[in-house]
Amino acid sequence: MKLIIIDNTYHYETENLVRVFCPNEKIETVHEDAENCERFVRTKLTRTQNGARICVSARLGSEKSVEKEFSLSQKLPQETEDSFFERKTAQLLFSLLQSLTGYTPPWGILTGVRPAKLMTTLCDEWGEENAKSYFEEELFVKSEKTQLALCVAKKEKPIIEESRKNSYSLYVSIPFCPTRCSYCSFVSHSNESAKKLIPRYVTLLCKEIEETAKIAGALSLRLESVYIGGGTPTALPAPELARLTEAISENFDISGVREYTIEAGRPDSVDDRKLEVIRQSGAGRISINPQTFNNSVLEAIGRRHSADMTQQAMLLAREHGFENINMDLIAGLPTDTFESFERTLEKTLSFEPENITVHTLALKRSSTLVTQEKEKGSAVEAQKMLSLAFEKLTQNGYEPYYMYRQSKCLGNLENVGWAKKGFECRYNVYMMEECHTVLACGAGAVTKLRSPVSKDIERIFNFKYPYEYIDRFDELLERKRHIAEFYDGRL
């Protein structure tokens, strides 16, 4: 498909919206007319002396192209002109593609990662009712999604308000997994292919943790939460996991942290020794992620564990005294059905986890699901699954407390964290709403520096791959000097 952009700069939003309606299309963006091609979407902005004219047209096959337009016969203030024209272009395109495909995306033209953050901003500026009206009337968001965004915004607010001027969180990346899932695009390596890298990687990671703690200590920053993620942290052998957690406790004062999470996401990586290491580390929150309790779906996505192994891992974690456990599910997995997802949801609820995170399948470009053109899930089915999750989780005492959306999610749908009251994951909120700095260690990790006196954000990227992290470690430490430079004069 050709995406034709004429005389405007609205490429990003336009392409994202087209992908919502045509998720499996390869899109080529051009800036000159090419309406003789079989499949195209075209947007054109013509400015006039007294206003502007917006025209959008499309052909999604052999049928005749269709067109919609909007005209404005007055000048707008310079500061609002671009945002107004961009929104009107998106509205026209939404209406056009809706009529051509018969699909109505529930999030309308809203394609951003953080819907709840936008809702919070609008509520603060305009009040709750006006914010809801803007979502539904200008962004075409369905009422149930508007309400979801509002619920999350309200739930996040007291957690965000905990953050102080000198607050920060620590994220540690373990880019290894037992196997690579078909939907995964993270920079993670299976233990089979990267086993020899693990000892050296952990040694250098402990060194990075030590250096990062020195920087944070010199700045008198306050550690609010610790999150060890991946990948799969419990893909590490127990002795290496112990080395890592000891490096954290030896270099950071974790006595006052509000929350300490270690992902034990893959049930086939969980055993007595690793759970004991986690308990001794001081971590009180873990994740054990089934994704689905359908064994044939697990096989289709490349997971080596069974539904029974997830159950065994959960029971083992409870035996070790864990009282704050998250379980991840994914709506829209290949070969999954609504009925199967319903059974997965019921099984998950039977364990009474404190957190349940319901993700929507994302069709990431580098995942084998996309590169090998395997069977993909349906946006319509995924939305039915999310609606069911909303109903069942609400009935069972869970509340939505954070939300985000990834690019190329089926139907532009959402990922939502649900929690029993008092068990909301603070790190998820701190990170997603960007309310304070996150210092990150490990391959693929991104330090996100949030100014304590403004909304300025800067990022420091670590090297993506474990071998690159190892080979260029000194260069990585040099980059971290910027943390102190960023805070100079701001504390």
Side-chain angles (χ1 to χ4, degrees):
M1 172 189 289
K2 287 190 184 295
L3 174 58
I4 306 163
I5 308 288
I6 305 294
D7 296 334
N8 67 77
T9 58
Y10 314 140
H11 164 266
Y12 178 79
E13 286 298 328
T14 303
E15 181 175 337
N16 282 341
L17 191 55
V18 171
R19 289 192 187 282
V20 173
F21 289 93
C22 307
N24 300 321
E25 293 270 2
K26 182 178 179 180
I27 298 174
E28 177 191 1
T29 300
V30 298
H31 296 279
E32 56 186 25
D33 274 318
E35 291 197 26
N36 58 339
C37 59
E38 185 176 323
R39 296 178 69 80
F40 74 88
V41 172
R42 177 179 181 270
T43 70
K44 183 175 182 179
L45 171 64
T46 304
R47 297 178 187 270
T48 64
Q49 186 175 357
N50 296 315
R53 176 174 174 266
I54 301 168
C55 180
V56 301
S57 56
R59 180 164 58 228
L60 302 183
S62 57
E63 75 276 3
K64 183 180 178 182
S65 64
V66 292
E67 181 177 300
K68 287 183 178 288
E69 67 174 62
F70 168 83
S71 293
L72 180 71
S73 57
Q74 64 183 66
K75 284 287 188 181
L76 293 173
Q78 187 70 38
E79 63 271 16
T80 62
E81 188 177 82
D82 254 352
S83 60
F84 177 83
F85 289 147
E86 183 178 40
R87 187 169 70 254
K88 286 301 177 185
T89 299
Q91 289 173 346
L92 286 175
L93 187 56
F94 180 92
S95 178
L96 183 66
L97 294 176
Q98 182 186 40
S99 65
L100 286 174
T101 65
Y103 176 58
T104 304
W107 283 101
I109 65 171
L110 185 57
T111 59
V113 173
R114 300 173 176 84
K117 188 172 186 178
L118 175 61
M119 176 62 78
T120 296
T121 300
L122 295 179
C123 285
D124 289 345
E125 292 179 359
W126 301 343
E128 185 177 311
E129 289 306 313
N130 288 333
K132 288 165 61 178
S133 295
Y134 183 81
F135 259 60
E136 294 175 18
E137 295 170 14
E138 291 294 326
L139 303 180
F140 300 165
V141 178
K142 287 189 174 181
S143 59
E144 59 267 31
K145 299 301 184 187
T146 296
Q147 191 60 36
L148 174 61
L150 182 61
C151 287
V152 171
K154 288 181 175 180
K155 199 70 178 175
E156 287 179 332
K157 191 169 184 179
I159 297 174
I160 293 171
E161 289 173 350
E162 293 174 348
S163 189
R164 307 177 188 180
K165 185 177 180 181
N166 64 337
S167 291
Y168 78 105
S169 291
L170 174 68
Y171 177 80
V172 179
S173 168
I174 305 300
F176 305 102
C177 281
T179 59
R180 187 182 177 100
C181 299
S182 65
Y183 54 78
C184 182
S185 66
F186 288 118
V187 182
S188 60
H189 293 252
S190 68
N191 280 13
E192 290 90 340
S193 66
K195 189 175 182 179
K196 64 182 180 181
L197 295 176
I198 289 176
R200 181 61 175 158
Y201 177 82
V202 173
T203 296
L204 292 177
L205 179 57
C206 291
K207 178 65 175 175
E208 186 186 4
I209 287 168
E210 179 184 353
E211 294 301 318
T212 302
K214 289 178 181 176
I215 295 169
L219 293 167
S220 299
L221 300 182
R222 173 188 167 84
L223 183 60
E224 302 286 353
S225 69
V226 178
Y227 195 103
I228 305 179
T232 306
T234 45
L236 295 179
E240 302 295 346
L241 184 60
R243 285 177 64 200
L244 170 62
T245 57
E246 286 165 7
I248 292 172
S249 60
E250 288 171 1
N251 289 284
F252 291 91
D253 179 8
I254 62 171
S255 61
V257 299
R258 300 179 190 273
E259 178 183 85
Y260 187 164
T261 299
I262 299 180
E263 289 185 354
R266 294 286 286 266
D268 47 340
S269 71
V270 176
D271 60 31
D272 273 302
R273 180 69 186 107
K274 292 176 186 177
L275 288 172
E276 186 58 31
V277 168
I278 295 172
R279 287 294 293 172
Q280 291 175 355
S281 73
R285 182 179 182 275
I286 63 172
S287 288
I288 294 176
N289 302 332
Q291 314 300 22
T292 174
F293 277 97
N294 184 323
N295 284 329
S296 64
V297 177
L298 287 170
E299 184 177 354
I301 63 176
R303 305 272 281 200
R304 288 187 181 172
H305 67 84
S306 65
D308 284 345
M309 290 174 72
T310 302
Q311 177 167 319
Q312 292 164 14
M314 277 295 295
L315 295 175
L316 191 61
R318 292 300 195 196
E319 288 176 10
H320 278 265
F322 287 98
E323 298 178 347
N324 190 355
I325 301 178
N326 172 73
M327 299 183 80
D328 277 7
L329 306 179
I330 300 180
L333 286 172
T335 77
D336 206 4
T337 64
F338 177 81
E339 292 75 20
S340 170
F341 181 82
E342 184 172 20
R343 290 191 294 272
T344 286
L345 194 56
E346 294 293 348
K347 184 68 174 177
T348 303
L349 288 167
S350 73
F351 295 113
E352 300 183 352
E354 287 67 34
N355 285 195
I356 298 176
T357 306
V358 184
H359 297 269
T360 302
L361 179 68
L363 301 176
K364 294 296 188 177
R365 183 176 57 188
S366 59
S367 67
T368 58
L369 190 63
V370 173
T371 60
Q372 297 180 14
E373 298 184 348
K374 295 183 178 182
E375 180 180 346
K376 303 172 180 66
S378 155
V380 174
E381 282 295 293
Q383 175 53 42
K384 291 179 182 177
M385 294 171 181
L386 293 181
S387 295
L388 176 70
F390 188 100
E391 175 187 346
K392 294 288 186 180
L393 292 171
T394 301
Q395 289 173 356
N396 283 273
Y398 294 86
E399 296 178 289
Y401 74 93
Y402 99 111
M403 172 171 55
Y404 70 101
R405 296 188 304 169
Q406 297 167 279
S407 63
K408 301 179 183 177
C409 270
L410 291 176
N412 196 30
L413 296 169
E414 69 275 7
N415 307 310
V416 180
W418 296 79
K420 294 180 179 179
K421 190 171 183 178
F423 288 95
E424 300 82 7
C425 176
R426 285 173 164 78
Y427 172 82
N428 285 338
V429 176
Y430 296 152
M431 177 268 300
M432 190 52 55
E433 299 309 316
E434 301 176 321
C435 54
H436 65 226
T437 285
V438 176
L439 300 182
C441 300
V446 180
T447 289
K448 187 182 291 187
L449 302 171
R450 168 68 151 81
S451 171
V453 294
S454 69
K455 293 183 178 181
D456 292 347
I457 291 176
E458 292 186 21
R459 292 169 173 81
I460 302 172
F461 294 87
N462 281 10
F463 298 111
K464 285 186 177 182
Y465 301 100
Y467 66 84
E468 190 180 18
Y469 176 89
I470 291 169
D471 291 343
R472 303 176 69 182
F473 184 75
D474 290 341
E475 186 178 341
L476 179 152
L477 291 185
E478 187 67 24
R479 291 182 182 183
K480 290 215 157 182
R481 290 188 178 184
H482 181 62
I483 298 171
E485 295 169 2
F486 177 85
Y487 273 102
D488 187 31
R490 289 175 163 167
L491 286 172

